[in-house]
Amino acid sequence: EATDAKKSRKDQSPARGDRKRQQDKKRDDDRRKKDSNRRPDEERKSKEDDHRRHDQELQRRRDEKRRKDEERCRKIDERCKEREMERKARDDRQRKEDEERRVEMEKRHREDRKRREELMAAKRLEEEANLLEEEAKVMRQQQATLNVMQALQNLSQAT
C-alpha cells in the first residue's frame, strides 16, 4: 500500500519523470563521449555492457514487480481465508443455534402433547365417572322401583 502511494505521487508529478529521463539522456550522452575516444572493439564491448546493464535493470524491475504482485496476491488470499474462516465460524454458530432451537421446539411440542394427552385422559376419566354415576343412579331408581313393586306384591298377597 505504501508503494501504491509512492506510485500515485510519481504519477501526479510529471516533472519527476522528465527529470529522470533528462538524467538518463545526460548519462547516455556522457558515455557516448567517452566511447568516441575508445577503439571500435572497446565501443562494442561498452555497448554490450550497456545492453547487459539495461537488461539486468529491466529484469530487476520485473522481479520487483512480480514480487510486489505476489505479495499483494498473498495478502488478498490471506484476507479471503480469514473471511472464509469467519464465515465458517458464523455458519457453525448459526447451525448450533438452529439445532438448539429445534431441540427446544421438539421438547416444547412433546410437553404440549403430553399435557394434551393428560387432559384428554382426565376428561375421559371424568366422563366415565359421570357415566358410572348415571348408571348407579339409574340402578338405584330401578332398585327403588323393584322394591316398591315387591312391597305392593307382598301387600296384595297378604290381603
Side-chain angles (χ1 to χ4, degrees), residues 102-121:
R102 187 186 61 78
V103 167
E104 185 63 32
M105 289 298 289
E106 286 178 358
K107 183 178 176 183
R108 205 173 305 134
H109 285 300
R110 280 194 303 272
E111 290 171 354
D112 289 346
R113 190 177 307 122
K114 186 177 179 181
R115 210 174 308 117
R116 278 195 305 272
E117 288 173 358
E118 288 173 355
L119 286 174
M120 293 298 284

Side-chain angles (χ1 to χ4, degrees), residues 74-94:
R74 186 184 59 76
K75 286 180 181 178
I76 290 171
D77 288 346
E78 286 176 2
R79 275 183 262 154
C80 287
K81 286 178 184 176
E82 287 174 6
R83 287 184 193 132
E84 181 69 18
M85 295 295 283
E86 289 171 359
R87 186 190 61 78
K88 284 182 180 180
R90 191 173 51 246
D91 289 350
D92 288 345
R93 277 194 310 273
Q94 186 65 42

Side-chain angles (χ1 to χ4, degrees), residues 15-155:
R16 186 174 191 168
D18 291 341
R19 203 176 320 129
K20 176 88 170 115
R21 272 188 239 111
Q22 288 172 355
Q23 289 171 350
D24 289 346
K25 186 176 179 186
K26 184 178 178 188
R27 187 184 63 231
D28 291 344
D29 290 344
D30 290 343
R31 283 185 188 153
R32 280 191 207 104
K33 286 179 186 176
K34 287 179 186 176
D35 290 346
S36 64
N37 299 335
R38 296 182 190 167
R39 289 181 285 166
D41 220 14
E42 289 177 350
E43 190 174 319
R44 184 176 52 80
K45 282 185 180 179
S46 174
K47 282 184 181 180
E48 287 175 357
D49 288 345
D50 287 346
H51 284 296
R52 186 177 40 78
R53 277 193 294 273
H54 178 72
D55 289 345
Q56 287 174 345
E57 180 64 22
L58 286 177
Q59 187 61 41
R60 186 190 62 76
R61 287 180 188 163
R62 285 186 202 119
D63 290 345
E64 186 175 329
K65 183 178 184 219
R66 186 179 310 115
R67 185 186 55 77
K68 286 178 182 177
D69 287 346
E70 287 172 354
E71 180 69 20
R72 185 178 49 82
C73 288
R74 186 184 59 76
K75 286 180 181 178
I76 290 171
D77 288 346
E78 286 176 2
R79 275 183 262 154
C80 287
K81 286 178 184 176
E82 287 174 6
R83 287 184 193 132
E84 181 69 18
M85 295 295 283
E86 289 171 359
R87 186 190 61 78
K88 284 182 180 180
R90 191 173 51 246
D91 289 350
D92 288 345
R93 277 194 310 273
Q94 186 65 42
R95 251 186 251 110
K96 186 177 179 181
E97 290 172 3
D98 290 348
E99 181 66 20
E100 289 173 356
R101 247 185 263 116
R102 187 186 61 78
V103 167
E104 185 63 32
M105 289 298 289
E106 286 178 358
K107 183 178 176 183
R108 205 173 305 134
H109 285 300
R110 280 194 303 272
E111 290 171 354
D112 289 346
R113 190 177 307 122
K114 186 177 179 181
R115 210 174 308 117
R116 278 195 305 272
E117 288 173 358
E118 288 173 355
L119 286 174
M120 293 298 284
K123 202 174 196 179
R124 262 185 268 125
L125 286 174
E126 190 177 319
E127 288 174 0
E128 286 178 18
N130 286 343
L131 283 174
L132 288 175
E133 276 184 38
E134 199 62 38
E135 284 180 22
K137 187 177 176 182
V138 169
M139 293 283 274
R140 282 192 299 273
Q141 286 175 351
Q142 286 177 349
Q143 187 64 39
T145 306
L146 187 59
N147 286 341
V148 168
M149 291 196 50
Q150 278 179 350
L152 287 175
Q153 190 178 16
N154 284 343
L155 278 176

